[in-house]
Amino acid sequence: MKLYIAEKPSLARAIADALPKPHRKADGCIYVGNGDVVSWCIGHLLTQVDPEAYDPEYKKWKFEHLPIIPENWKLKSTPRTSKQLSILKKLIKQADNLVHVGDPDREGQLLVDEVIHFSGVKGNKLKQVERCLVSDLTINAVKRSLQQLRSNQEFIALSTSALARTRADWLYGLNLTRVYTLQAQKSGYQGVISVGRVQTPLLGLVARRDKEIEVFVSKPFYEVEAHLTTLKPENIASFTAKWKPSEACEKYQDHEGRVLVKKLAENVAQRISEQPAFVKSFTAKNKKQVAPLPYNLSALQIDAAKRFSYTALEVLDICQALYEKYKLITYPRSDSRYLPKNHLSQAGSVTKAIANNQPALKKAVSDADLSLKSRAWNDKKVDAHHAIIPTDKHQSLTSLDTASQNIYALIARQYLCQFYADYHYGECVAEIEINNGLFISKAKAKISDGWKVLFDKQEKDSYLPALCKGQKLFCNKGEVMEKNTQPPAYFTDATLLAAMSNIARYVQDNELKGILKETDGLGTEATRAGIIELLFKRLFLQRTGKLIKATETGRKLIESLPEMLTLPDMTAQWEMELNAISQKEQSYQGFVVPLQNQLKSIIEKAIADGPRALANLPSSGNVFKKTYRKKSTKKGTFKKKSS
C-alpha cells in the first residue's frame, strides 16, 4: 500500500481526485481504487515542547536557568491534532511506501518530514520516501505532479533549514523574553517583555521611521534651471537644462548633493543669464524595458496594497482561497518569480481560461503572442515552487467577491505580460556648457507600448530638440528654483512589505550589507503577513488611514531594548544562512552553534546591564502574555507567540 501524506485536507482531496476510483472516505483518510491511501496533516501536527518538559524547574522563570538549550529536542502533539496524528502513525506503519505531499516550501517540507520521523520510519523505508510537488490543485496539474515524483532525500537540506529556523526561533524568543521580563520585573514592571527575532526588528523599523519624521526639520535647497534656445533660424526651439554642481561646490551641498546656499545658486543663475552656450555632448539611444516577472507573494501583496489598499494578510487569505477552494491560481506562498520551461506548453490552456474567467482581459489574451518567451521561463531559478500564475480552470468569477476578482486580475495580467513584446522608448541626454558651468537636459519618448499596453498608467513623453556636439545655443536666463527637503514617508502596507523583502537597505553593518542579496529579507513569503498582523494584535502597531505607525507601547519597547535586538542585521544574517542551508552551502551545526554562543553573550550582557529603561514600559496584561512560540494550524500565521 502506498500512503500519500498531504499537508492539509484540501490538498488531500485534490490528490485523491487524481487517483483511481472508487473512493472510500474513512476517519482521517481516503482509500482509493487501487488500494492506496491518501491522508493528511492539519498544518503542523507537532510542536516544540514547553521548557518544563526538559526540566520541571524551568516552569519558574529564573536568571540561573538561562540560556535554556535542549540537548535532545522533543516534539509533542496538541489536543486538537492528536487524533489525526494517531491515524497517520497507524497508516504509516501499515504502508509499504510513503509519498510526501507537503506544500512546496521549507515549512511544508518540514511538517510532513517531522511526522514521518516521529512515527519511527527508518532504514530503507525512510530512504525510499518519495516527494510530490503540487503547485496547482486542478486535476490535470495534480496528475502531472503525481507522474513526476522525486526522492524525498533531495529535499533533506530544505527540511533542515526549516528545522534550524524553528529551533532558533524557540531559543531566541523564549530565552530573551525571559531575561528581559525578569529584568523589567526587578524594577516593578508587571507583565511580559515579548522579544522575537523578526517581530522586534520589524517593530524597530517602524518606530525608528516614526522618530525620524518627528525630529525632521525641513531645510530649503536650491536648483538652477537654464532656459535655452537653439540658434538655427530654420529650426528655433526652446528647452531647459538643470545645473550639475562641480566638485568645488561640495562644501555647500548636503549628503544627497543638494545645494543649501541660496547665494551660490543666485550667483550661478546670474552668470549664465543672456550668455552663449554650447552642446558639450549629445546622445540619443533607443532603449527597451522588459516585461515585469510574474508575481511571488510579496510582489503581489505590494501591488495589491498600492492599487487597492489591501493588507498583506487580506491578500494572503484571498490567495489561499483562490488556490485551495477555487483552484484558480497556483501555490500562493511562493518566493519565486520564475516559471519552469515545460510550463510553456500549458500557456494556451491558461490564457484561454483567463479569457473565459475575466472578460475584461479577453482582448489582452487575443493580442498575446504565445510564441514569445520572456526571461521568466528559467529552470535554473525554479526549485520547489514557481511564480504565482492562473491555472487552466474555467470558472466565472461573478460569484467571487470584488477583492478576489481584483487579485485574480492582477495575477492574470502579470502572466499575460510574458507574451508581449518589450516596451521600446527613445532617450536623449544633452550636456550643455554655459560660462564654464555644466547643465544636463534629458528627454524620453515612447516608441512602442509593448507589454505596457496592459496597464492603465502611461508615461508622458518629454521633449528635447535634436542637437549635435559643439552646436551653439543661447541661454536666455538662469532661474533659481527653491525647494524644501521632505521627511521620510510613514510606512504603508506596500512599503513595509517592500522593506521586509529587501532588508539590505536597512541593515547598518556595512560588511553584512555588502553580502546580502537583493532578495534577502526579514521573515519569509509565508510568514510576513502574520508577523505584521501579530504586531497589530499586540498593540505595538496602529493604522492611521493607509499609514502604519508604532504605538506608544511599541516605541517604548524598542527604546527599552538593546539596539542590536531592534535592528534587522542579525535577522537578515539568519535568513541568509537559512537559505544557504537549503542550498547545501551551510550546515545545521554551522548555523546553530554560533547562534547559541551569541545567545549566551546577549543574556550575560542583559543581566550585567540591569533593567535599563524597561521599568518605564506601560504594564498591560492584554498586550503581553506569558506564552512561547507555538505553531498554528495555518502555516504562516501566529497564535500568541514571539516570532
Side-chain angles (χ1 to χ4, degrees):
M1 181 262 282
K2 182 176 281 190
L3 174 65
Y4 297 85
I5 307 172
E7 176 159 338
K8 52 180 84 75
S10 58
L11 179 56
R13 288 192 294 271
I15 293 162
D17 288 344
L19 292 170
K21 291 179 172 53
H23 295 168
R24 179 171 63 85
K25 291 183 180 178
D27 199 7
C29 66
I30 303 168
Y31 290 87
V32 298
N34 62 358
D36 293 341
V37 181
V38 181
S39 188
W40 54 83
C41 302
I42 314 165
H44 281 275
L45 293 182
L46 295 160
T47 187
Q48 296 289 338
V49 299
D50 294 327
E52 52 266 34
Y54 295 108
D55 186 334
E57 278 293 307
Y58 292 159
K59 194 161 188 176
K60 296 176 183 176
W61 291 29
K62 294 182 178 179
F63 285 121
E64 54 263 35
H65 295 158
L66 304 177
I68 298 169
I69 300 176
E71 286 186 24
N72 298 301
W73 289 83
K74 299 175 184 178
L75 295 172
K76 65 174 183 179
S77 63
T78 63
R80 188 185 51 78
T81 61
S82 59
K83 182 181 177 184
Q84 187 60 24
L85 180 62
S86 297
I87 290 168
L88 264 177
K89 285 174 71 176
K90 186 177 178 182
L91 289 169
I92 287 170
K93 192 173 182 180
Q94 294 171 353
D96 300 302
N97 301 99
L98 303 174
V99 181
H100 179 316
V101 202
D103 278 351
D105 60 15
R106 72 185 186 195
E107 287 300 316
Q109 185 65 40
L110 176 64
L111 69 83
V112 176
D113 277 346
E114 63 188 6
V115 169
I116 291 171
H117 288 285
F118 192 79
S119 301
V121 179
K122 294 177 182 175
N124 286 334
K125 189 171 179 177
L126 182 62
K127 288 179 182 176
Q128 290 166 8
V129 174
E130 294 176 291
R131 183 66 163 103
C132 180
L133 298 168
V134 177
S135 293
D136 177 343
L137 296 187
T138 57
I139 190 164
N140 289 334
V142 174
K143 282 181 177 178
R144 283 192 297 270
S145 296
L146 290 171
Q147 291 166 2
Q148 298 169 358
L149 298 181
R150 295 161 66 177
S151 168
N152 196 48
Q153 297 285 303
E154 293 178 41
F155 300 90
I156 289 174
L158 191 64
S159 192
T160 304
S161 166
L163 184 66
R165 197 274 310 157
T166 299
R167 291 177 176 177
D169 278 350
W170 190 95
L171 289 169
Y172 186 96
L174 181 133
N175 284 292
L176 296 189
T177 293
R178 287 194 174 199
V179 73
Y180 288 110
T181 297
L182 288 168
Q183 285 290 35
Q185 288 175 352
K186 279 170 69 176
S187 298
Y189 174 75
Q190 299 299 311
V192 174
I193 304 296
S194 175
V195 180
R197 63 104 186 175
V198 178
Q199 166 204 321
T200 306
L202 180 60
L203 177 59
L205 277 184
V206 180
R208 268 188 288 275
R209 173 66 60 86
D210 292 352
K211 192 170 182 180
E212 273 183 73
I213 295 168
E214 270 185 23
V215 302
F216 181 82
V217 178
S218 181
K219 293 180 181 177
F221 67 95
Y222 306 92
E223 296 175 348
V224 180
E225 205 170 70
H227 293 261
L228 296 151
T229 307
T230 58
L231 296 177
K232 293 180 181 178
E234 70 280 7
N235 186 22
I236 294 176
S238 299
F239 64 100
T240 60
K242 186 177 168 184
W243 176 45
K244 184 179 180 182
S246 65
E247 287 183 13
C249 300
E250 278 185 7
K251 59 184 175 181
Y252 305 111
Q253 294 172 282
D254 65 10
H255 65 284
E256 292 186 30
R258 294 174 295 209
V259 172
L260 303 177
V261 180
K262 189 175 185 179
K263 283 187 178 180
L264 172 61
E266 288 175 335
N267 182 48
V268 171
Q270 187 180 4
R271 288 185 49 167
I272 65 171
S273 294
E274 299 184 349
Q275 293 295 315
F278 73 92
V279 179
K280 194 172 182 181
S281 70
F282 181 76
T283 58
K285 293 180 181 178
N286 287 343
K287 293 189 172 183
K288 66 180 181 179
Q289 189 177 344
V290 298
L293 292 165
Y295 287 122
N296 60 14
L297 180 58
S298 287
L300 175 59
Q301 287 169 320
I302 290 166
D303 273 7
K306 287 178 181 176
R307 194 175 179 93
F308 304 113
S309 299
Y310 297 159
T311 69
L313 192 60
E314 285 171 341
V315 176
L316 179 57
D317 288 345
I318 290 166
C319 285
Q320 208 64 37
L322 289 173
Y323 169 63
E324 287 185 26
K325 185 176 179 181
Y326 301 108
K327 302 179 183 178
L328 286 167
I329 65 168
T330 59
Y331 179 68
R333 297 169 184 263
S334 174
D335 62 358
S336 174
R337 298 193 70 174
Y338 292 88
L339 296 164
K341 288 179 182 175
N342 63 17
H343 213 292
L344 263 172
S345 62
Q346 298 161 44
S349 58
V350 171
T351 52
K352 281 178 186 174
I354 292 171
N356 174 82
N357 303 348
Q358 192 79 20
L361 291 174
K362 271 187 179 178
K363 187 176 187 308
V365 170
S366 64
D367 292 345
D369 182 354
L370 299 190
S371 67
L372 294 176
K373 193 171 114 181
S374 76
R375 61 192 170 126
W377 312 96
N378 188 336
D379 288 340
K380 290 180 181 177
K381 296 197 174 184
V382 176
D383 189 14
H385 41 77
H386 57 66
I388 308 168
I389 62 171
T391 66
D392 59 7
K393 184 179 178 182
H394 287 234
Q395 179 182 323
S396 170
L397 302 187
T398 53
S399 61
L400 272 62
D401 60 81
T402 302
S404 297
Q405 292 182 42
N406 288 339
I407 294 298
Y408 179 85
L410 284 180
I411 295 167
R413 186 180 286 109
Q414 203 83 355
Y415 177 75
L416 290 174
C417 281
Q418 312 314 311
F419 305 105
Y420 275 74
D422 297 335
Y423 165 67
H424 287 266
Y425 63 96
E427 186 176 79
C428 304
V429 180
E431 290 189 343
I432 315 293
E433 189 170 311
I434 316 167
N435 206 352
N436 296 319
L438 183 62
F439 292 75
I440 310 293
S441 187
K442 296 179 180 180
K444 192 159 78 169
K446 177 183 73 179
I447 297 172
S448 63
D449 280 312
W451 58 268
K452 285 202 175 188
V453 75
L454 297 177
F455 295 85
D456 302 332
K457 193 176 179 182
Q458 299 292 328
E459 294 179 32
K460 288 185 178 179
D461 291 348
S462 50
Y463 170 77
L464 191 60
L467 302 169
C468 59
K469 186 177 179 180
Q471 182 177 340
K472 292 180 180 179
L473 307 168
F474 185 75
C475 178
N476 299 298
K477 69 169 183 175
E479 183 180 7
V480 175
M481 317 287 285
E482 183 172 329
K483 299 183 178 181
N484 285 283
T485 57
Q486 297 297 312
Y490 284 105
F491 279 113
T492 63
D493 282 280
T495 57
L496 191 55
L497 277 164
M500 293 180 80
S501 303
N502 180 14
I503 203 61
R505 288 165 44 204
Y506 300 92
V507 166
Q508 294 194 1
D509 185 310
N510 287 328
E511 188 177 339
L512 176 59
K513 190 191 285 270
I515 58 176
L516 284 171
K517 301 173 190 170
E518 281 187 15
T519 52
D520 286 325
L522 202 59
T524 66
E525 301 291 328
T527 61
R528 284 171 191 150
I531 294 163
I532 294 171
E533 198 63 24
L534 178 70
L535 289 170
F536 281 107
K537 285 180 180 176
R538 286 191 166 155
L539 308 182
F540 292 155
L541 293 181
Q542 60 187 344
R543 291 185 191 278
T544 307
K546 291 184 179 181
L547 308 180
I548 295 174
K549 302 177 184 179
T551 62
E552 185 65 18
T553 301
R555 287 180 62 165
K556 283 190 178 295
L557 177 61
I558 294 303
E559 290 167 5
S560 301
L561 292 169
E563 187 180 52
M564 70 168 293
L565 302 183
T566 70
L567 293 173
D569 297 43
M570 183 167 60
T571 301
Q573 174 82 41
W574 279 27
E575 292 292 352
M576 186 176 69
E577 290 191 48
L578 290 168
N579 186 57
I581 292 173
S582 69
Q583 301 294 325
K584 302 179 183 177
E585 297 166 358
Q586 165 75 294
S587 68
Y588 170 86
Q589 289 295 334
F591 169 71
V592 171
V593 172
L595 184 151
Q596 291 175 350
N597 293 333
Q598 183 185 40
L599 188 60
K600 289 174 185 175
S601 299
I602 294 171
I603 289 168
E604 286 170 6
K605 189 173 189 310
I607 294 171
D609 283 352
R612 296 170 57 91
L614 294 170
N616 297 325
L617 277 169
S619 294
S620 172
N622 294 325
V623 176
F624 304 105
K625 292 185 180 179
K626 193 178 287 190
T627 51
Y628 310 120
R629 182 175 183 86
K630 293 186 181 179
K631 294 284 187 303
S632 74
T633 58
K634 188 173 181 183
K635 187 171 50 134
T637 62
F638 298 79
K639 287 189 176 178
K640 297 178 185 175
K641 64 188 181 182
S642 296
S643 168

